Amino acid sequence: PILLDGLSRLEYRGYDSAGVAVYSSQTGALSVHKAKGRLRVLSDLLQGGAAVEGTVGIGHTRWATHGEPSDLNAHPHTDVKGDIAIVHNGIIENHQRLRTFLEGKGCTFVSQTDTEVIAHLLHYLYHGDMCQAIREAAGMLEGSWALCVLHRGAPDTLWATRKDSPLVLGLGQ
């Protein structure tokens, strides 16, 4: 409910889809839920948030820049294992070059977005230190972006970074 409420405060912006990723201590996995359309569609799917268990999560409303509006292209995006979830605001100008590189390393993409490239790049760069992987990825990204990352291996931690795009973080009861 907290993530959905936070996203509702951004409804003044245009968007075509919404989604959340939450760490579930019951399953030890990331639970990702996405829906094309207004936030109400996602909220109804999640019974106002009651259908999702967890205490740490990320959410996003997306305005399509890469890929058509769809459930598949909605954020958050995950790496191939589903261990890393990411939301992204902005545009990654070199996403096609990074996608080609990662496909050459065996990554399989399911969306048409530049954001999914970041999730797979983090997976490729992660060797036990997510902060270091994010630093390396940030050095490889061209464009403007704000990122928030959730990793199954560190369920009480959110990582965020930005370059030329806004980012809002909240901490509360």
Side-chain angles (χ1 to χ4, degrees):
I2 294 169
L3 289 173
L4 293 172
D5 180 58
L7 291 175
S8 74
R9 295 168 191 253
L10 298 174
E11 284 197 290
Y12 67 91
R13 302 175 356 158
Y15 66 96
D16 58 55
S17 58
V20 297
V22 178
Y23 174 78
S24 169
S25 58
Q26 289 180 343
T27 65
L30 299 181
S31 174
V32 178
H33 307 274
K34 308 189 283 185
K36 176 184 170 185
R38 306 301 294 170
L39 183 59
R40 183 92 214 137
V41 176
L42 179 66
S43 184
D44 289 347
L45 176 73
L46 301 179
Q47 300 167 6
V52 179
E53 178 274 330
T55 56
V56 177
I58 56 178
H60 189 43
T61 56
R62 172 183 184 259
W63 182 258
T65 56
H66 296 94
E68 66 186 20
S70 69
D71 290 355
L72 206 54
N73 286 333
H75 296 206
H77 286 283
T78 62
D79 69 315
V80 67
K81 290 186 174 183
D83 290 344
I84 299 168
I86 182 170
V87 293
H88 158 236
N89 185 36
I91 296 176
I92 305 303
E93 295 170 358
N94 62 332
H95 73 96
Q96 190 57 54
R97 186 170 66 239
L98 291 170
R99 179 182 291 257
T100 301
F101 168 77
L102 292 165
E103 287 173 336
K105 299 295 182 183
C107 289
T108 301
F109 289 82
V110 297
S111 81
Q112 302 164 327
T113 68
D114 55 344
T115 303
E116 187 185 4
V117 170
I118 303 166
H120 289 296
L121 182 61
L122 288 174
H123 173 81
Y124 175 76
L125 296 172
Y126 179 72
H127 301 290
D129 184 342
M130 183 53 70
C131 196
Q132 181 60 32
I134 293 169
R135 280 189 195 108
E136 288 179 42
M140 298 171 74
L141 301 176
E142 296 173 7
S144 64
W145 38 265
L147 312 174
C148 192
V149 179
L150 179 60
H151 185 260
R152 185 181 65 83
D156 294 330
T157 304
L158 292 175
W159 291 270
T161 186
R162 62 179 286 275
K163 178 184 173 260
D164 301 330
S165 287
L167 174 68
V168 177
L169 298 174
L171 176 66
Q173 299 297 322

